[in-house]
Amino acid sequence: MKLSQFKFKLPEEQIALYPHSIIHSVTNDDGSEGLFRVTRRDECRLMVLHRKSQTIDMYKKDKKGKPIEGEFLDFRNVLDYFDENDTFVFNDTKVFPARLYGMKEKTDAKIEVFLLRELNAEMRLWDVLVEPARKIRIGNKLFFDDSGTMVAEVIDNTTSRGRTLRFLYDCPHDEFKRELFALGEAPLPHYIIDHKDADGNPDRPATKEDLDDFQTIYAKNEGAVTAPASGLHFSREMMKRMEIKGINFAYITLHCGLGNFHGIEVEDLTKHKMDSEQMIISAEACNTVNRTKEAGHRICAVGTSVIKATETAAGTDGLLKEYDGWTNRFIFPPYDFNIADAMIANFYHPLSTLLMSTAAFGGYDLVMKAYELAVENGYLFGCYGDALLIVDD
C-alpha cells in the first residue's frame, strides 16, 4: 500500500491532551471555587468494528437491541463482546521518566535530553537524544540540578540528534537511577507537550499526574519510552470484572520506542524500516495463549505493540513461541495474522505506523470508515484518546 492512503484531516481539537477524566468543583474555605481533575481510565468512548459483517457499533442498545442515538459506548462495554475462557494479551512494559532538561556548561542553554536506554550500568553510559542538537558536541557537559550533583559528559555522536552520555555520579547504581529518574518527567508525545494556546504558546507541560496517567496499571518491566497506549484504558475495577467473568490474562513485554512516532519518508510502505524494539515472551504467556486457541476461544491483543510481538513470535503452526530478543516488524495491509482474532487500539494520527497496523488487522476500508465516523462524531485521538475494538464476527 501507499503512504498517501493513510492521510486524513484530523481537527486539532480532537487530539486528547489529557486522559478521560471528570472535572469536579469544590468550594474553598474562603468561598472561592476550585476545580480538580479525576482520571476515569475506563470511561472513554468505544467504537466496535466487526470484520466479517463489516458493521460498526457506536451506540449503546435498548432492550430490543436497537441503538440509542447519542448514547455512545464506553470502554467498559468491551466486556459485552467477550466470554468466559477468552484471553486478553497485555504488554506489561513500564515507562520510565525519560525526558530531562539540563543546562549546558558556560552558556546555560536549556537542553532537552531524552533517555533511550542504558548502555552500561557500571560506567553510567546512556543512549540519548538531545534538542537542540546543534549545540551539543563531544566534550560538552550538562548539569541537571541546581546543586551540580547530576552532571553528564557527551562522549559520542551517534546520529544527527543522538548522543552517548556518561553521567558523572559516584554512588550505587540503584541510587543513581533513582536520583536520575527523580529529575525526569513522563515522556509524553510532542503532539501533547507542544500544543499551543490561542496566543501560540505551549500550554500543556507534563505534570506529576502524568507519571501515573501515562502508565498502565499492570506495568511491571521497566524499559519503555512511550506507553502502550491502548492499555491505558484498563482500570483495576475493570480488570477485576474481567477476572470475575472468567477471562484469562497473558502478559508479554515489548519496550515501546520512539520509532512509533517517526514520520515515514517513502510512499511505498515496503521500503520503510522500523526501529528495533526489545521484546520478551515467556513460556507462561505462550501456554495461556495456546491453550485458549486450541480450545477454540478468542485471543484479544491489547494494542499494536502486542500485535507486533505476537506476530514476531508466531510459529508456522499458528501457535505462540517463547521469544527473547528484538523486533523491527512493520505490519501494514495486507497482512495475514496468526495469533489474535480481536484487537483493542486507540485512534491514531494520520500517516502513522500505528494506524497502518490497525488497518491491517481490521481491514483497510472498514478501519478508514471508522476513522471517518470518529472525526465526524468528535472522538478523541492519540495516546490519551478514545478506544477502538476490532472483533472477528
Side-chain angles (χ1 to χ4, degrees):
M1 296 197 78
K2 303 298 184 184
L3 175 65
S4 54
Q5 290 177 266
F6 294 91
K7 185 176 182 179
F8 65 93
K9 186 175 182 180
L10 175 59
E12 185 75 18
E13 63 272 14
Q14 285 182 241
I15 299 174
L17 301 181
Y18 296 91
H20 183 84
S21 30
I22 304 296
I23 305 297
H24 288 284
S25 63
V26 294
T27 302
N28 300 317
D29 292 339
D30 60 4
S32 62
E33 291 290 326
L35 299 176
F36 66 96
R37 180 186 302 272
V38 178
T39 298
R40 298 287 178 83
R41 292 173 178 261
D42 57 13
E43 295 182 10
C44 69
R45 285 195 199 177
L46 174 72
M47 187 184 294
V48 182
L49 277 59
H50 300 264
R51 291 196 296 192
K52 289 181 180 176
S53 64
Q54 293 288 292
T55 57
I56 297 175
D57 297 341
M58 293 174 56
Y59 303 114
K60 297 179 180 179
K61 296 178 180 178
D62 60 23
K63 294 180 179 179
K64 296 181 179 180
K66 188 175 181 180
I68 306 171
E69 288 285 332
E71 194 169 325
F72 291 97
L73 294 168
D74 65 48
F75 191 72
R76 294 168 297 184
N77 292 117
V78 161
L79 271 68
D80 300 336
Y81 295 85
F82 293 92
D83 300 313
E84 183 180 2
N85 295 320
D86 290 339
T87 291
F88 276 56
V89 185
F90 299 95
N91 181 2
D92 67 3
T93 186
K94 187 174 183 180
V95 180
F96 62 89
R99 183 175 282 116
L100 313 175
Y101 293 95
M103 303 289 284
K104 184 181 175 183
E105 63 176 342
K106 298 181 181 178
T107 67
D108 287 342
K110 184 178 180 180
I111 305 296
E112 177 186 306
V113 175
F114 197 98
L115 304 173
L116 295 177
R117 61 183 177 274
E118 190 171 38
L119 300 174
N120 185 300
E122 184 179 352
M123 296 182 66
R124 310 287 195 264
L125 297 182
W126 279 77
D127 183 19
V128 308
L129 298 176
V130 294
E131 188 67 39
R134 67 182 184 279
K135 294 185 177 182
I136 303 301
R137 297 181 175 87
I138 294 174
N140 289 159
K141 289 183 178 178
L142 298 171
F143 295 82
F144 293 93
D145 58 9
D146 294 336
S147 67
T149 304
M150 187 66 73
V151 183
E153 180 182 9
V154 181
I155 65 170
D156 195 14
N157 295 334
T158 53
T159 64
S160 60
R161 293 180 56 217
R163 302 289 187 272
T164 300
L165 295 188
R166 179 174 61 211
F167 284 89
L168 311 176
Y169 198 94
D170 187 17
C171 69
H173 183 256
D174 288 347
E175 180 184 338
F176 160 70
K177 284 191 73 174
R178 186 167 59 251
E179 295 297 324
L180 178 65
F181 287 175
L183 296 170
E185 64 182 32
L188 299 180
H190 272 283
Y191 63 75
I192 291 181
I193 63 170
D194 290 346
H195 186 269
K196 303 290 196 301
D197 61 18
D199 296 323
N201 300 311
D203 65 348
R204 175 52 171 105
T207 65
K208 289 183 179 180
E209 288 75 19
D210 286 309
L211 291 171
D212 290 325
D213 291 338
F214 201 57
Q215 192 83 268
T216 63
I217 62 167
Y218 46 80
K220 180 181 179 182
N221 296 309
E222 181 182 281
V225 295
T226 188
S230 300
L232 297 178
H233 304 298
F234 287 86
S235 64
R236 287 177 175 81
E237 294 77 13
M238 184 167 176
M239 298 282 279
K240 188 62 177 179
R241 289 197 296 269
M242 294 168 70
E243 185 180 333
I244 291 171
K245 191 167 184 175
I247 292 172
N248 303 309
F249 303 154
Y251 296 94
I252 62 92
T253 303
L254 185 143
H255 294 314
C256 304
L258 292 184
N260 298 291
F261 300 104
H262 290 169
I264 298 178
E265 299 178 349
V266 291
E267 176 69 2
D268 181 356
L269 296 183
T270 63
K271 296 180 180 178
H272 177 66
K273 303 300 181 185
M274 293 287 289
D275 289 353
S276 292
E277 295 166 305
Q278 188 177 15
M279 57 171 277
I280 301 171
I281 297 181
S282 66
E284 181 182 3
C286 293
N287 290 337
T288 302
V289 168
N290 294 337
R291 280 199 308 267
T292 302
K293 286 183 70 67
E294 290 168 344
H297 298 291
R298 284 175 294 179
I299 304 293
C300 180
V302 179
T304 58
S305 64
V306 172
I307 285 290
K308 181 188 298 185
T310 53
E311 287 303 307
T312 297
T316 55
D317 56 0
L319 298 179
L320 190 62
K321 309 298 181 183
E322 291 182 64
Y323 193 97
D324 187 347
W326 296 75
T327 180
N328 64 350
R329 181 160 299 216
F330 177 30
I331 297 175
F332 59 92
Y335 188 94
D336 293 326
F337 289 85
N338 297 283
I339 304 297
D341 42 33
M343 174 188 182
I344 292 173
N346 279 27
F347 287 95
Y348 304 112
H349 281 62
L351 306 177
S352 69
T353 60
L354 305 177
L355 167 57
M356 294 165 193
S357 293
T358 306
F361 191 86
Y364 174 81
D365 291 335
L366 185 61
V367 167
M368 297 311 290
K369 174 62 177 176
Y371 270 58
E372 183 181 328
L373 289 172
V375 172
E376 289 176 1
N377 289 275
Y379 284 69
L380 296 179
F381 286 66
C383 62
Y384 279 155
D386 292 318
L388 184 68
L389 169 63
I390 304 171
V391 291
D392 195 28
D393 59 12

